Amino acid sequence: MPRPHRVLGLVGLMVAFLLLGLLSYRVSEHYGIEDMREKASHQLDILGAAIDSEVTRHASIPSAVELNPDVVSLLRAPSEEQDIRQVEANRFLQKLNDHLGGPAIFVLDTSGTVVASSDWIFSDNLLGSDLSYMPFFRDAVRGTPARHYAVDHVRHEPGYYFALPIRDEAREWAIIGVAVVKSGIREVERRWLAQEAPALIVDRNGVVLLASPPEWRYATLGPQPLDALERLGRQQFAGQPLGAISLDINLDGADEGRIVRLPKHLRDDVAPSQGARPYLAMARHLSGAAWRIVVFSDLRPVGIQAATHAALSIAALGCLLLGVLYTRQRRRLARGREEARAMLERANQELELKVEARTADLSDAVAGLQREVQERQRAEQTLRAAQAELVQAAKLAVLGQMVTGITHELSQPLGAIRTLAANAAEFMRRADLVTAEKNLAIVEQLTEQMGHIIGPLKTFARKSPAVSTAVDVAQAVDSALFLFESRLKKESVVLERRIAADACIAWCDRNRLQQVLVNLIGNALDAMHDEPVRRLSFSSERASSGKVALAVVDSGCGFSEEAVAHLFEPFFTTKQPGEGLGLGLTISRDILRDFGGDLMAGPAPGGGARFVVLLPPLPSDHRETLP
Ligand code: ADP
């Protein structure tokens, strides 16, 4: 997703969370308040009924007082008879009061003075007290029955007063006094203070008559003019200061429930609004008394519950979203896995195809290589055959060169044999068998000698496959020299042999080594042909590589620069046509390399040529095969 879209989506999501939280909060709060309202209404029903019955149970008593003849007589009596009448009336009122269990019943004359009272026997009785200032008197003396809360001046006891005008039938129902009953409100107080939640009883002037908490008693709901409060306090509350605290509560519409703020603490030094908390105020007018009762329900639990519901719904939405995201992610992953699997399969197939193609290529290449190897093997065989032929040709060439010498060597014994054979025949004819036998013995010796001459030639000329064995280097040198015996003698060649003891045995083919040596000796003799001094030396030693190094040094003409560069090339020769093929050194080196040796050439210190024949040493596991 592009970045701006993602940011927008995130903002949208946050707004959705916020709206949902707000909605949940509002709904939960609404139902919480509704629930609270119902509970408060129920509480008000119970409280209202209890207070009403408690306060108004004495409401009918003033009528009984009004009808009492003692009371009427008292009020009718001239002043000199009043004392006597008063006693009667007092007794009646006392009896009635004792019967009802009320706090006080008394009668006022039209001037507002108490003329009879149920408490007449007590020293602090109300008799003679002027209660004309009391609002109930003023209403009743004008003919209106009155009822209200008030605190009396004498005992400073709060109570609920019912007042009824007393009319004289004989004076055309003129008002002659006022009958008053005071209901105690202790039971109401007790009940009220037991309230857990804040609750008030407010009179029609907006003065709090009873309150929980108790310190709110005599507070006003709102600010009121001081003089009015002072007057009210004087008339109704026995001079009690009113409105020291203003609760600042507006109860308009509180009959249906209204949200107000109540002070958390109420002390003189703390303003009521400070630390105010929201409450649901429910008010109810009492039908009996002119009071309003108000109960307050703390809205904090509703707020906490609403916040919890909001958090829960946000969490639920979060979970839902997470669930959706999780499912989507799982699907995406599954899709990704599926794609990866398909890709892998494709790659696998491609790889298999490639491998097949490569294998086919490789098989072709292998087949090609096999063909090539076979061709090379064939070529090698051909080469070896050609080489063998060349070796043979070279040998024959050497033999050809040696023919003169050999013929010379053989002609002498042959002549002797012919003569001896002829003599032997003659001696046998003469029956001289002893001499004939001697002659034949000499013939035998001579043929043996000739056999010695021809033997190496036979070996040399034989076409034999190369087989490595332990070869005595000195013997090989001797065998090769033997083939040149007559030439060496004829050309007065000085021979030197220095074969070291630790370098006398090599691991090679005797016949081939002999062939190499014949070749080198032949070349050396050729090179020394025109030299006044002819010296040919053989020396062997162990090279640093462990091989046997046999040096063949002559005192011949040595090599020209050109010769040094091309010595081992086939068909390089400085000899006259018919004298050399230029193959000797090439073949010699190949032969030596074939069985792990080598051939090197260089100038000899005193002029002449120096060839070094490197031969492999005897392998350690063939020491016992020493000749
Ligand atoms: P060929 O003997 O048939 O010429 P080689 O391969 O044996 O063939 O020798 C090649 C050439 O190397 C010779 O023609 C000669 O010039 C040179 N050569 C070989 N041995 C010697 C030597 N001992 N002294 C001087 N030159 C030599």
Side-chain angles (χ1 to χ4, degrees):
M1 209 190 279
R3 200 182 157 80
H5 286 196
R6 210 182 301 168
V7 171
L8 264 179
L10 217 66
V11 169
L13 207 67
M14 278 171 72
V15 169
F17 270 108
L18 220 68
L19 283 178
L20 179 78
L22 209 67
L23 189 73
S24 309
Y25 188 90
R26 287 283 173 233
V27 170
S28 173
E29 191 186 45
H30 173 75
Y31 283 107
I33 290 173
E34 274 305 305
D35 188 40
M36 213 160 243
R37 191 173 282 151
E38 213 168 287
K39 279 188 193 146
S41 176
H42 184 61
Q43 193 186 359
L44 282 175
D45 286 345
I46 296 169
L47 275 175
I51 294 166
D52 244 358
S53 74
E54 182 69 26
V55 171
T56 58
R57 78 189 151 118
H58 299 134
S60 58
I61 305 306
S63 314
V65 175
E66 180 199 20
L67 296 174
N68 183 261
D70 290 335
V71 172
V72 175
S73 307
L74 170 68
L75 292 172
R76 277 185 191 154
S79 51
E80 61 273 12
E81 286 178 29
Q82 275 201 346
D83 286 349
I84 308 158
R85 302 282 176 214
Q86 192 181 42
V87 174
E88 297 302 320
N90 279 344
R91 281 199 183 124
F92 164 71
L93 293 179
Q94 185 192 355
K95 234 188 261 172
L96 189 63
N97 194 43
D98 290 349
H99 177 70
L100 295 170
I105 305 174
F106 49 90
V107 175
L108 309 176
D109 64 12
T110 49
S111 67
T113 307
V114 178
V115 289
S117 173
S118 60
D119 63 351
W120 64 285
I121 52 168
F122 298 107
S123 56
D124 58 345
N125 62 45
L126 288 170
L127 287 172
S129 305
D130 180 8
L131 298 183
S132 59
Y133 64 89
M134 296 287 253
F136 62 80
F137 170 74
R138 279 181 295 162
D139 289 345
V141 87
R142 274 190 233 117
T144 315
R147 52 172 67 186
H148 61 75
Y149 173 96
V151 181
D152 73 75
H153 273 83
V154 182
R155 299 202 190 94
H156 292 277
E157 255 182 7
Y160 198 78
Y161 291 83
F162 295 93
L164 198 70
I166 303 171
R167 293 176 188 272
D168 190 356
E169 191 187 339
R171 292 192 210 163
E172 293 173 354
W173 301 107
I175 295 169
I176 55 171
V178 174
V180 182
V181 173
K182 179 185 177 186
S183 270
I185 57 162
R186 279 195 205 290
E187 185 54 30
V188 176
E189 273 182 341
R190 192 188 58 71
R191 191 180 282 271
W192 210 253
L193 292 174
Q195 293 300 313
E196 263 180 46
L200 306 175
I201 295 181
V202 190
D203 70 4
R204 62 175 155 236
N205 297 316
V207 176
V208 177
L209 303 180
L210 266 177
S212 158
E215 60 265 30
W216 289 0
R217 197 171 192 177
Y218 301 133
T220 50
L221 290 181
Q224 290 194 26
L226 279 178
D227 53 340
L229 280 178
E230 198 265 330
R231 194 172 59 248
L232 200 64
R234 202 163 9 87
Q235 289 176 350
Q236 211 176 317
F237 294 88
Q240 184 81 33
L242 303 179
I245 297 167
S246 170
L247 294 177
D248 279 333
I249 306 170
N250 183 359
L251 289 180
D252 293 349
D255 290 357
E256 296 305 318
R258 179 193 173 105
I259 292 169
V260 297
R261 294 198 159 262
L262 281 189
K264 201 157 73 178
H265 300 290
L266 209 62
R267 296 201 313 268
D268 289 348
D269 54 342
V270 178
S273 59
Q274 212 166 323
R277 290 204 312 238
Y279 281 84
L280 175 73
M282 279 287 281
R284 177 74 48 89
H285 282 279
L286 291 183
S287 53
W291 290 350
R292 246 178 137 189
I293 53 175
V294 191
V295 289
F296 297 93
S297 312
D298 193 350
L299 282 174
R300 268 182 317 161
V302 174
I304 290 169
Q305 198 180 27
T308 311
H309 284 158
L312 279 176
S313 50
I314 285 173
L317 180 64
C319 284
L320 194 77
L321 263 173
L322 278 179
V324 169
L325 281 178
Y326 176 71
T327 318
R328 274 186 57 185
Q329 193 64 17
R330 275 198 63 168
R331 271 203 211 127
R332 200 177 296 168
L333 273 176
R335 218 169 32 241
R337 266 204 297 272
E338 195 53 42
E339 277 169 13
R341 209 174 55 77
M343 267 173 65
L344 207 69
E345 222 162 72
R346 272 204 302 281
N348 232 1
Q349 283 169 357
E350 276 171 23
L351 203 69
E352 266 172 28
L353 286 175
K354 269 186 194 165
V355 166
E356 266 173 33
R358 289 279 151 83
T359 312
D361 287 355
L362 218 62
S363 304
D364 290 352
V366 167
L369 272 173
Q370 277 173 346
R371 273 198 304 279
E372 210 167 294
V373 166
Q374 282 169 358
E375 271 168 27
R376 271 169 197 254
Q377 279 173 345
R378 266 200 302 279
E380 206 175 295
Q381 278 169 6
T382 316
L383 193 71
R384 282 193 182 282
Q387 200 179 19
E389 289 305 319
L390 277 172
V391 168
Q392 202 55 24
K395 280 189 206 173
L396 293 176
V398 170
L399 282 176
Q401 285 175 7
M402 291 192 299
V403 157
T404 327
I406 291 164
T407 316
H408 174 74
E409 289 289 321
L410 290 180
S411 60
Q412 212 183 347
L414 258 178
I417 286 169
R418 195 184 310 119
T419 311
L420 284 167
N423 289 348
E426 188 57 40
F427 286 127
M428 281 170 79
R429 266 194 305 273
R430 290 179 198 166
D432 187 355
L433 290 175
V434 178
T435 313
E437 198 180 339
K438 277 182 185 168
N439 273 13
L440 286 173
I442 295 168
V443 167
E444 193 186 349
Q445 274 176 10
L446 285 172
T447 50
E448 204 171 315
Q449 199 180 331
M450 285 170 76
H452 278 298
I453 294 168
I454 298 166
L457 283 176
K458 244 173 39 192
T459 326
F460 182 69
R462 192 167 47 213
K463 260 189 185 177
S464 60
V467 178
S468 285
T469 52
V471 174
D472 188 327
V473 176
Q475 260 181 24
V477 169
D478 287 345
S479 296
L481 284 172
F482 180 78
L483 292 173
F484 292 96
E485 204 171 48
S486 58
R487 194 173 163 193
L488 290 167
K489 266 187 214 153
K490 199 170 95 190
E491 295 182 4
S492 315
V493 177
V494 182
L495 287 174
E496 287 174 12
R497 292 189 197 80
R498 289 190 302 277
I499 308 292
D502 66 335
C504 61
I505 307 294
W507 184 254
C508 59
D509 183 280
R510 185 195 310 272
N511 196 22
R512 296 284 161 93
L513 174 61
Q514 198 179 329
Q515 187 187 335
V516 170
L517 292 173
V518 166
N519 202 8
L520 292 178
I521 295 165
N523 279 346
L525 292 179
D526 289 347
M528 294 188 294
H529 187 263
D530 298 329
E531 299 300 319
V533 180
R534 302 182 187 97
R535 186 178 295 113
L536 183 58
S537 70
F538 298 87
S539 59
S540 83
E541 57 185 27
R542 178 84 53 180
S544 57
S545 60
K547 289 183 174 166
V548 175
L550 171 67
V552 182
V553 182
D554 63 54
S555 57
C557 58
F559 312 112
S560 67
E561 261 183 42
E562 191 207 351
V564 170
H566 304 288
L567 270 183
F568 294 100
E569 283 174 14
F571 305 110
F572 171 78
T573 181
T574 55
K575 295 176 186 170
Q576 294 301 314
E579 286 182 6
L581 283 171
L583 285 171
L585 289 179
T586 314
I587 291 170
S588 295
R589 185 148 83 171
D590 283 355
I591 287 170
L592 289 173
R593 284 186 176 173
D594 252 6
F595 49 73
D598 207 348
L599 179 63
M600 288 156 299
R610 181 173 187 268
F611 286 87
V612 176
V613 177
L614 273 179
L615 296 168
L618 192 64
S620 51
D621 52 339
H622 282 85
R623 300 269 185 222
E624 69 277 2
T625 59
L626 274 172

